[in-house]
Amino acid sequence: MVKSWDMAVERAQERLAAAPALRAVTDEEAREFARWDLAACAEGELGEPVDPAAIGPAEEARLRARLGESGREWPGGELYRRRYWLLGEGGPGGATGPGGTQSRGTRPVGAVAVDNWTKGSGQLAVSSLYLRPDARNRGLAAAALDRVYRAATAEGLSGYRLEADWAWPQAVRYYLRRGLWVRSWKHAIGLTRMPQLPPYRVREEHGRLVLMVADRPSGAPSGEVWTPLLAAGREGRWLRLDETAAYRQADGWVHDYARSTLALHLALAGRPLVRGPQWWAEAWRWSDGGEPEGLAHRIEQYERRRAAADDRTAAQPEVARPEVELPAPAPAPRPGAVAP
């Protein structure tokens, strides 16, 4: 156990600053980083892909005004979080990065920020992650998250956590593919990777979604054994959620997060989230996380807020019903979300 979370975070940040594929943002590049952050938000929330290098003062003011609170600029610079460029291979003759700097044969193709304090049970918090469109689908975002995880666990921290806004299901899908567990949905969708949580997978079997975890029981052949924990099927228009003996015997972290994680997979697959009227009547009890009805309740609230912020035309989106799914995917994500 670390003596000071603050010291552990500082050492983890030093590890990230020394990583070969990352470069700390200088004071002179702070405004440039802010524009990359803004480009991520504009693409994710407004569906407007924007070249960060092309954002001038007038365009920046326009985008921040349209985005409102989600487009605000982070105050205080390094006081709150450390910012890093994600580096990719440069072209012939070297590449020019933000601010016109040269980067020794590499160029910034993305950005990531990690908070200067822990959240939850001693976890690093990833507060921004973005890649330029021409750098996506090359594993760079996954590599950056792996580096954050290694830096955290090397200093005794419990992995990392991040949040994905309700408006960016594409980002949520990406994080679930990366194997992150769902810890909450109070204000945004909170996801985590922790040493205490084993790898998991969700797959369809006989019309049901089954959540399984990797296990390496004593005496078993080499390799992972996948143990089912929860199975979710349909009974008419309602959800049927079945527990296995392995789930009932699971430790606290797995037991707490397995239901939330499966619930989000169900929502993204358009499956029912509510087990019946009596469950729906008490859905508010799990509005921070836990039972799938709590996720349905939060989706309903999100749909109502989105409808109120719309053009107020006759075509308003429906609120969540017992069978609910997340809104249609936005083109890309933003802080705490990644454009992979």
Side-chain angles (χ1 to χ4, degrees), residues 173-193:
R173 288 184 171 92
Y174 174 77
Y175 290 129
L176 293 182
R177 290 197 304 269
R178 290 292 305 154
L180 272 65
W181 290 73
V182 179
R183 58 171 305 277
S184 66
W185 44 63
K186 184 174 183 179
H187 301 296
I189 300 174
L191 302 109
T192 186
R193 181 181 176 188

Side-chain angles (χ1 to χ4, degrees), residues 212-257:
M212 300 176 286
V213 294
D215 192 14
R216 296 180 179 85
S218 176
S222 59
E224 294 172 334
V225 175
W226 291 93
T227 303
L229 297 184
L230 298 169
R234 182 192 297 266
E235 289 189 340
R237 59 193 295 241
W238 305 110
L239 165 70
R240 172 170 177 161
L241 184 62
D242 296 319
E243 303 174 356
T244 67
Y247 172 76
R248 291 188 287 271
Q249 297 167 6
D251 62 27
W253 294 110
V254 173
H255 196 275
D256 288 348
Y257 293 164

